[in-house]
Amino acid sequence: MTAHSAMVFIDGESGTTGLGIRDRLGRMPRITLKSLAPERRRDAGARRDMMAAVDLIVLCLPDDAARESAAMAASLGNAAPKVLDASTAHRVAPDWVYGFAELAPGQAERISAARKVANPGCYPTGAIGLIRPLVDGGLLPPDYPITINAVSGYSGGGKAMIEAHQAAQGPAFELYGLGLEHKHIGETERYGGLTRRPIFVPSVGHYLKGMLVSIPLHLDTLPGKPRGADLGAVLAERYRGCELVRVVEAAADGKLEPEALNDTDRLELSVHANETHRQAVLVARLDNLGKGASGAAVQNIALMLGLRTGVGAREMADA
């Protein structure tokens, strides 16, 4: 598919993620974006005809609508396009490939070969990026009682939250999801390699975008009682050669702010340890609209269309 332009249709292109994907794909010379006029976007026949005419569709829809669109695409049989779903509808579905290319060795190749890929959530991208290598490396037991704390800009909270904050009605800081039923827990548990359901405490700040995901650990409760440097070494080895995921040194002043990676598709991971007290905090930083949403989607699209290979994919604007 690299010899000609690939045609892509974004079903739900007017939302935050859809607009971000459209902007990024618009800068890629081997992608042709197809659209329906606003008055035809609810026309099932028009949408089905569009799906039959393109190479790949991106679903930027609420979960129920995404399931309906995925079923519509599947009904086309041999004419069905590849599907990337940016909703949460299919993230733990057994017949969909999880779209975190750096998840484990071979994952980028699985995405490249897949007909149906589920784009990861923003919070799970940070949490899984920290947890999975340590589970695979035997430093973190799958049944360890993990607690994940995270803060995001309000752009990750949907239309109502965005409107509230932009009207200066949103709080400076707010915990939410305290019923411990957040929709991202399932994918974090599964793709983090965990067998015990983690506690996840999300929060939102009164700023547009940028995310920190942190996981505290008592080092002496881990197998072999590792040092913080041991955790960092395992993370560094897993992501060696990756250009979008980087393991960085702990901040010398003990501070991290969430907006440093805004407008990039990068994910930064770090280990902050106190060996005197045998404690550590793992931290992931990303743009929740970049590697946490639209950037990850475009990385997956490029893999699915054969425009990129492997986990060392560069940012996609020049693909």
Side-chain angles (χ1 to χ4, degrees):
M1 199 171 293
T2 59
H4 62 84
S5 180
M7 292 189 291
V8 176
F9 169 53
I10 304 172
D11 196 359
E13 67 178 38
S14 62
T16 302
T17 299
L19 290 171
I21 293 171
R22 184 174 184 82
D23 178 66
R24 285 168 167 81
L25 291 180
R27 300 196 299 268
M28 296 174 65
R30 286 179 285 172
I31 295 288
T32 298
L33 286 166
K34 307 293 288 186
S35 294
L36 288 172
E39 65 272 14
R40 302 188 68 199
R41 289 174 185 170
R42 295 183 182 274
D43 182 331
R47 289 169 58 232
R48 193 173 189 275
D49 289 345
M50 177 65 78
M51 291 179 182
V54 299
D55 299 294
L56 183 146
I57 62 171
V58 186
L59 307 181
C60 297
L61 300 164
D63 285 5
D64 287 345
R67 292 185 187 97
E68 292 175 4
S69 283
M72 180 184 291
S75 73
L76 293 169
N78 292 336
K82 293 186 175 185
V83 182
L84 176 72
D85 185 7
S87 80
T88 63
H90 299 102
R91 288 184 185 158
V92 295
D95 56 337
W96 288 68
V97 173
Y98 193 59
F100 186 1
E102 298 87 1
L103 176 69
Q107 190 69 13
E109 289 71 23
R110 285 186 280 274
I111 294 168
S112 296
R115 302 291 305 177
K116 300 184 295 184
V117 174
N119 212 51
C122 50
Y123 289 125
T125 295
I128 293 167
L130 293 166
I131 294 168
R132 180 63 178 266
L134 301 180
V135 172
D136 289 349
L139 276 71
L140 190 65
D143 63 349
Y144 192 86
I146 290 286
T147 298
I148 303 164
N149 303 291
V151 62
S152 175
Y154 60 77
S155 60
K159 183 177 180 181
M161 182 179 287
I162 292 171
E163 289 178 349
H165 277 270
Q166 289 181 341
Q169 297 171 1
F173 180 84
E174 181 180 36
L175 291 177
Y176 67 101
L178 291 174
L180 304 181
E181 292 287 355
H182 195 281
K183 62 183 180 180
H184 287 161
I185 293 174
E187 66 182 286
T188 302
E189 180 179 359
R190 173 172 293 189
Y191 298 108
L194 300 173
T195 58
R196 183 192 296 263
R197 191 174 189 269
I199 293 175
F200 175 45
V201 185
S203 62
V204 62
H206 188 57
Y207 63 96
L208 179 61
K209 58 185 178 179
M211 175 173 285
L212 293 173
V213 180
S214 60
I215 301 172
L217 297 171
H218 290 274
L219 297 174
D220 287 343
T221 67
L222 301 178
K225 299 183 178 181
R227 295 172 59 84
D230 298 323
L231 304 180
V234 169
L235 292 174
E237 181 58 32
R238 168 58 62 88
Y239 300 113
R240 189 179 306 280
C242 294
E243 295 182 58
L244 296 182
V245 183
R246 301 173 183 174
V247 179
V248 300
E249 294 293 326
D253 61 359
K255 298 178 182 179
L256 279 177
E257 57 87 14
E259 299 177 276
L261 294 182
N262 283 4
D263 300 316
T264 80
D265 293 339
R266 300 199 305 273
L267 171 65
E268 279 186 358
L269 309 176
S270 54
V271 178
H272 304 256
N274 184 311
E275 296 298 343
T276 300
H277 299 296
R278 299 294 293 141
Q279 295 173 328
V281 179
L282 312 176
V283 183
R285 177 161 57 182
L286 64 156
D287 181 347
N288 56 287
L289 298 183
K291 183 61 170 167
S294 303
V298 172
Q299 181 183 11
N300 287 322
I301 291 166
L303 288 167
M304 295 172 75
L305 294 177
L307 303 178
R308 290 284 182 180
T309 58
V311 298
R314 295 181 183 274
E315 293 184 56
M316 297 297 150
D318 61 348

PDB file of all heavy atoms in Angstrom, residues 115-133:
ATOM      1  N   ARG A 115      -6.612  -6.382  11.071  1.00  0.00           N
ATOM      2  CA  ARG A 115      -7.725  -5.719  10.411  1.00  0.00           C
ATOM      3  C   ARG A 115      -8.469  -4.783  11.360  1.00  0.00           C
ATOM      4  O   ARG A 115      -9.099  -3.825  10.924  1.00  0.00           O
ATOM      5  CB  ARG A 115      -8.724  -6.761   9.878  1.00  0.00           C
ATOM      6  CG  ARG A 115      -8.161  -7.769   8.896  1.00  0.00           C
ATOM      7  CD  ARG A 115      -7.786  -7.176   7.585  1.00  0.00           C
ATOM      8  NE  ARG A 115      -8.868  -6.443   6.942  1.00  0.00           N
ATOM      9  CZ  ARG A 115      -8.728  -5.775   5.789  1.00  0.00           C
ATOM     10  NH1 ARG A 115      -7.547  -5.735   5.197  1.00  0.00           N
ATOM     11  NH2 ARG A 115      -9.752  -5.131   5.261  1.00  0.00           N
ATOM     12  N   LYS A 116      -8.397  -5.090  12.679  1.00  0.00           N
ATOM     13  CA  LYS A 116      -9.133  -4.310  13.675  1.00  0.00           C
ATOM     14  C   LYS A 116      -8.206  -3.997  14.848  1.00  0.00           C
ATOM     15  O   LYS A 116      -7.679  -4.910  15.486  1.00  0.00           O
ATOM     16  CB  LYS A 116     -10.352  -5.084  14.171  1.00  0.00           C
ATOM     17  CG  LYS A 116     -11.351  -5.426  13.078  1.00  0.00           C
ATOM     18  CD  LYS A 116     -12.594  -6.098  13.626  1.00  0.00           C
ATOM     19  CE  LYS A 116     -12.313  -7.444  14.241  1.00  0.00           C
ATOM     20  NZ  LYS A 116     -13.558  -8.118  14.680  1.00  0.00           N
ATOM     21  N   VAL A 117      -8.020  -2.717  15.120  1.00  0.00           N
ATOM     22  CA  VAL A 117      -7.120  -2.274  16.188  1.00  0.00           C
ATOM     23  C   VAL A 117      -7.880  -1.320  17.106  1.00  0.00           C
ATOM     24  O   VAL A 117      -8.585  -0.420  16.641  1.00  0.00           O
ATOM     25  CB  VAL A 117      -5.875  -1.574  15.615  1.00  0.00           C
ATOM     26  CG1 VAL A 117      -5.018  -0.975  16.730  1.00  0.00           C
ATOM     27  CG2 VAL A 117      -5.047  -2.566  14.785  1.00  0.00           C
ATOM     28  N   ALA A 118      -7.725  -1.519  18.410  1.00  0.00           N
ATOM     29  CA  ALA A 118      -8.312  -0.634  19.412  1.00  0.00           C
ATOM     30  C   ALA A 118      -7.242   0.310  19.931  1.00  0.00           C
ATOM     31  O   ALA A 118      -6.232  -0.133  20.481  1.00  0.00           O
ATOM     32  CB  ALA A 118      -8.902  -1.460  20.555  1.00  0.00           C
ATOM     33  N   ASN A 119      -7.462   1.602  19.745  1.00  0.00           N
ATOM     34  CA  ASN A 119      -6.510   2.603  20.233  1.00  0.00           C
ATOM     35  C   ASN A 119      -6.551   2.646  21.763  1.00  0.00           C
ATOM     36  O   ASN A 119      -7.625   2.597  22.357  1.00  0.00           O
ATOM     37  CB  ASN A 119      -6.891   3.977  19.673  1.00  0.00           C
ATOM     38  CG  ASN A 119      -5.712   4.871  19.436  1.00  0.00           C
ATOM     39  OD1 ASN A 119      -4.748   4.473  18.792  1.00  0.00           O
ATOM     40  ND2 ASN A 119      -5.769   6.094  19.943  1.00  0.00           N
ATOM     41  N   PRO A 120      -5.397   2.737  22.435  1.00  0.00           N
ATOM     42  CA  PRO A 120      -5.394   2.751  23.904  1.00  0.00           C
ATOM     43  C   PRO A 120      -5.970   4.030  24.484  1.00  0.00           C
ATOM     44  O   PRO A 120      -6.039   5.068  23.816  1.00  0.00           O
ATOM     45  CB  PRO A 120      -3.900   2.653  24.254  1.00  0.00           C
ATOM     46  CG  PRO A 120      -3.229   2.184  23.013  1.00  0.00           C
ATOM     47  CD  PRO A 120      -4.046   2.723  21.885  1.00  0.00           C
ATOM     48  N   GLY A 121      -6.359   3.963  25.759  1.00  0.00           N
ATOM     49  CA  GLY A 121      -6.733   5.159  26.491  1.00  0.00           C
ATOM     50  C   GLY A 121      -5.501   5.944  26.898  1.00  0.00           C
ATOM     51  O   GLY A 121      -4.384   5.418  26.928  1.00  0.00           O
ATOM     52  N   CYS A 122      -5.705   7.211  27.244  1.00  0.00           N
ATOM     53  CA  CYS A 122      -4.577   8.062  27.614  1.00  0.00           C
ATOM     54  C   CYS A 122      -3.966   7.640  28.942  1.00  0.00           C
ATOM     55  O   CYS A 122      -2.747   7.450  29.047  1.00  0.00           O
ATOM     56  CB  CYS A 122      -4.998   9.522  27.657  1.00  0.00           C
ATOM     57  SG  CYS A 122      -6.493   9.871  28.612  1.00  0.00           S
ATOM     58  N   TYR A 123      -4.784   7.471  29.978  1.00  0.00           N
ATOM     59  CA  TYR A 123      -4.268   7.032  31.271  1.00  0.00           C
ATOM     60  C   TYR A 123      -3.591   5.652  31.170  1.00  0.00           C
ATOM     61  O   TYR A 123      -2.481   5.465  31.692  1.00  0.00           O
ATOM     62  CB  TYR A 123      -5.385   6.973  32.307  1.00  0.00           C
ATOM     63  CG  TYR A 123      -5.924   8.297  32.782  1.00  0.00           C
ATOM     64  CD1 TYR A 123      -7.284   8.576  32.692  1.00  0.00           C
ATOM     65  CD2 TYR A 123      -5.096   9.258  33.356  1.00  0.00           C
ATOM     66  CE1 TYR A 123      -7.805   9.773  33.160  1.00  0.00           C
ATOM     67  CE2 TYR A 123      -5.611  10.463  33.823  1.00  0.00           C
ATOM     68  CZ  TYR A 123      -6.964  10.716  33.718  1.00  0.00           C
ATOM     69  OH  TYR A 123      -7.476  11.900  34.191  1.00  0.00           O
ATOM     70  N   PRO A 124      -4.239   4.660  30.523  1.00  0.00           N
ATOM     71  CA  PRO A 124      -3.573   3.358  30.416  1.00  0.00           C
ATOM     72  C   PRO A 124      -2.252   3.394  29.666  1.00  0.00           C
ATOM     73  O   PRO A 124      -1.357   2.596  29.962  1.00  0.00           O
ATOM     74  CB  PRO A 124      -4.608   2.502  29.673  1.00  0.00           C
ATOM     75  CG  PRO A 124      -5.916   3.121  30.012  1.00  0.00           C
ATOM     76  CD  PRO A 124      -5.631   4.600  30.047  1.00  0.00           C
ATOM     77  N   THR A 125      -2.116   4.294  28.707  1.00  0.00           N
ATOM     78  CA  THR A 125      -0.842   4.385  27.991  1.00  0.00           C
ATOM     79  C   THR A 125       0.299   4.648  28.964  1.00  0.00           C
ATOM     80  O   THR A 125       1.353   3.995  28.902  1.00  0.00           O
ATOM     81  CB  THR A 125      -0.906   5.490  26.925  1.00  0.00           C
ATOM     82  OG1 THR A 125      -1.871   5.124  25.931  1.00  0.00           O
ATOM     83  CG2 THR A 125       0.452   5.694  26.260  1.00  0.00           C
ATOM     84  N   GLY A 126       0.103   5.596  29.882  1.00  0.00           N
ATOM     85  CA  GLY A 126       1.133   5.867  30.878  1.00  0.00           C
ATOM     86  C   GLY A 126       1.297   4.733  31.869  1.00  0.00           C
ATOM     87  O   GLY A 126       2.418   4.306  32.165  1.00  0.00           O
ATOM     88  N   ALA A 127       0.177   4.212  32.381  1.00  0.00           N
ATOM     89  CA  ALA A 127       0.250   3.178  33.409  1.00  0.00           C
ATOM     90  C   ALA A 127       0.832   1.880  32.869  1.00  0.00           C
ATOM     91  O   ALA A 127       1.726   1.273  33.475  1.00  0.00           O
ATOM     92  CB  ALA A 127      -1.143   2.932  33.986  1.00  0.00           C
ATOM     93  N   ILE A 128       0.346   1.441  31.719  1.00  0.00           N
ATOM     94  CA  ILE A 128       0.843   0.194  31.131  1.00  0.00           C
ATOM     95  C   ILE A 128       2.302   0.343  30.720  1.00  0.00           C
ATOM     96  O   ILE A 128       3.095  -0.595  30.869  1.00  0.00           O
ATOM     97  CB  ILE A 128      -0.031  -0.212  29.929  1.00  0.00           C
ATOM     98  CG1 ILE A 128      -1.438  -0.584  30.406  1.00  0.00           C
ATOM     99  CG2 ILE A 128       0.591  -1.362  29.152  1.00  0.00           C
ATOM    100  CD1 ILE A 128      -2.454  -0.687  29.284  1.00  0.00           C
ATOM    101  N   GLY A 129       2.654   1.513  30.203  1.00  0.00           N
ATOM    102  CA  GLY A 129       4.051   1.750  29.833  1.00  0.00           C
ATOM    103  C   GLY A 129       5.000   1.550  30.992  1.00  0.00           C
ATOM    104  O   GLY A 129       6.135   1.100  30.814  1.00  0.00           O
ATOM    105  N   LEU A 130       4.551   1.869  32.211  1.00  0.00           N
ATOM    106  CA  LEU A 130       5.367   1.674  33.410  1.00  0.00           C
ATOM    107  C   LEU A 130       5.291   0.247  33.946  1.00  0.00           C
ATOM    108  O   LEU A 130       6.300  -0.332  34.353  1.00  0.00           O
ATOM    109  CB  LEU A 130       4.905   2.644  34.502  1.00  0.00           C
ATOM    110  CG  LEU A 130       5.139   4.131  34.254  1.00  0.00           C
ATOM    111  CD1 LEU A 130       4.321   4.964  35.238  1.00  0.00           C
ATOM    112  CD2 LEU A 130       6.625   4.476  34.352  1.00  0.00           C
ATOM    113  N   ILE A 131       4.094  -0.318  33.961  1.00  0.00           N
ATOM    114  CA  ILE A 131       3.856  -1.581  34.653  1.00  0.00           C
ATOM    115  C   ILE A 131       4.322  -2.794  33.858  1.00  0.00           C
ATOM    116  O   ILE A 131       4.989  -3.701  34.396  1.00  0.00           O
ATOM    117  CB  ILE A 131       2.352  -1.725  34.978  1.00  0.00           C
ATOM    118  CG1 ILE A 131       1.923  -0.670  35.999  1.00  0.00           C
ATOM    119  CG2 ILE A 131       2.033  -3.119  35.505  1.00  0.00           C
ATOM    120  CD1 ILE A 131       0.411  -0.559  36.158  1.00  0.00           C
ATOM    121  N   ARG A 132       3.968  -2.859  32.585  1.00  0.00           N
ATOM    122  CA  ARG A 132       4.156  -4.100  31.821  1.00  0.00           C
ATOM    123  C   ARG A 132       5.611  -4.573  31.778  1.00  0.00           C
ATOM    124  O   ARG A 132       5.887  -5.770  31.975  1.00  0.00           O
ATOM    125  CB  ARG A 132       3.586  -3.917  30.408  1.00  0.00           C
ATOM    126  CG  ARG A 132       3.721  -5.137  29.508  1.00  0.00           C
ATOM    127  CD  ARG A 132       2.950  -6.356  30.017  1.00  0.00           C
ATOM    128  NE  ARG A 132       3.100  -7.460  29.075  1.00  0.00           N
ATOM    129  CZ  ARG A 132       2.222  -7.723  28.102  1.00  0.00           C
ATOM    130  NH1 ARG A 132       1.129  -6.986  27.966  1.00  0.00           N
ATOM    131  NH2 ARG A 132       2.429  -8.736  27.292  1.00  0.00           N
ATOM    132  N   PRO A 133       6.601  -3.697  31.531  1.00  0.00           N
ATOM    133  CA  PRO A 133       7.978  -4.195  31.509  1.00  0.00           C
ATOM    134  C   PRO A 133       8.425  -4.777  32.849  1.00  0.00           C
ATOM    135  O   PRO A 133       9.203  -5.739  32.885  1.00  0.00           O
ATOM    136  CB  PRO A 133       8.801  -2.950  31.150  1.00  0.00           C
ATOM    137  CG  PRO A 133       7.845  -2.050  30.457  1.00  0.00           C
ATOM    138  CD  PRO A 133       6.541  -2.266  31.144  1.00  0.00           C
TER     139      PRO A 133
END
